[in-house]
Amino acid sequence: MNGNPTPSAPAPGGGGREAEQPPVGLPVDPSLVDGRAPDRPAEGIPELHEVGCPDDLRERIEELMSRYPDRHSASIPALWAVQRRYGWCTPEGIRQAAAVMQVTPAYLESIASFYDLLHTRPAGRHRVLVCTNISCWMRGGDELLDAFYEAAGCEPEGAGHGGAVTGDGETYVSGFECLGACDIAPMASIDERYYGPLEPADAAAALQQLREGAEPLSDKALQGREAAGGPEPDPDARLASDA
Ligand code: FES
């Protein structure tokens, strides 16, 4: 994630434009104020009947909004629901969420584009995030990321920290900041599951297993490890939720 959990999100409903007016006298590119390309017309809040939102997605977003006193607080989980549904935050999916939430698409786009875990471009069916922050870096995180790029057939220089998608469009590989599992450094998140400590040779094996539809690196999965002090009798029920 490229920022703190609390984004410098725009004011609710996209209505923060007034609050973001530049000081008088300074020239400003309008696209920097409202997040639109200069040649793209402003879009208001779409009507639900215009966007063809699937019932299950609408119900999911409505349920998420019901959890908060202000519906805008559901923006991130709503975008996550869109991403789960379509594989990434498609423009159509964002419009659907915007219609359900009664906010502008630009408001949700500005949030989706802020977070590395929300994708505003196609990002593969499988996602591999390799931590290169300090603990993992000291234990070979950069080499591990290079090994994943090589196994995926991606150019490390070209991919950088923006990530890269394999030629078949199946797998997204990206370096990432601390994923909060420094004790298993160097580690990676593969399809939202943590694995580590990993070696460069694990990269090719993991990608091959993903291609075969098998669980990757099962012997290095964090969820398969016993908790300190012994096995947990019952998994935490919250982990079974897709929330
Ligand atoms: S530095 Fe890699 S998980 Fe924290």
Side-chain angles (χ1 to χ4, degrees):
M1 192 174 292
N2 63 359
N4 296 320
T6 303
S8 53
R17 292 178 190 170
E18 290 80 7
E20 295 173 3
Q21 289 299 315
V24 174
L26 285 180
V28 66
D29 179 343
S31 68
L32 299 179
V33 175
D34 63 11
R36 289 181 290 117
D39 59 349
R40 184 172 155 195
E43 183 179 14
I45 298 173
E47 296 289 338
L48 197 53
H49 67 81
E50 298 173 341
V51 298
C53 185
D55 286 344
D56 60 331
L57 180 60
R58 174 184 53 76
E59 289 167 7
R60 176 67 175 151
I61 294 173
E62 288 172 345
E63 190 274 323
L64 290 166
M65 286 193 294
S66 73
R67 299 182 185 184
Y68 303 97
D70 184 327
R71 69 187 190 285
H72 300 88
S73 301
S75 297
I76 292 174
L79 287 164
W80 191 253
V82 168
Q83 183 160 286
R84 277 268 165 82
R85 170 93 194 186
Y86 298 113
W88 56 289
C89 292
T90 63
E92 295 78 15
I94 286 178
R95 289 191 78 236
Q96 291 167 358
V100 177
M101 295 187 67
Q102 286 296 284
V103 300
T104 63
Y107 176 77
L108 292 181
E109 284 172 13
S110 68
I111 296 171
S113 61
F114 182 86
Y115 288 101
D116 285 349
L117 287 177
L118 293 171
H119 297 278
T120 53
R121 291 178 298 169
R125 196 157 60 92
H126 300 291
R127 304 217 171 103
V128 179
L129 309 177
V130 181
C131 178
T132 56
N133 212 296
I134 185 69
S135 300
C136 290
W137 173 75
M138 291 178 70
R139 291 177 55 82
D142 281 352
E143 291 75 15
L144 182 62
L145 177 59
D146 286 347
F148 269 102
Y149 279 142
E150 185 177 343
C154 304
E155 275 293 323
E157 293 78 16
H161 269 56
V165 179
T166 52
D168 60 6
E170 282 287 289
T171 305
Y172 170 83
V173 179
S174 178
F176 221 76
E177 299 306 327
C178 181
L179 286 158
C182 315
D183 58 320
I184 56 169
M187 57 79 63
S189 166
I190 303 176
D191 289 345
E192 301 175 19
R193 294 284 183 270
Y194 281 8
Y195 299 85
L198 299 181
E199 301 168 8
D202 291 322
L207 294 182
Q208 181 62 30
Q209 288 160 337
L210 289 176
R211 279 191 285 269
E212 294 169 353
E215 180 189 353
L217 307 175
S218 55
D219 58 327
K220 298 193 175 183
L222 179 61
Q223 65 179 2
R225 290 160 62 125
E226 294 181 350
E232 287 200 43
D234 295 305
D236 186 329
R238 291 171 299 177
L239 298 180
S241 165
D242 65 350

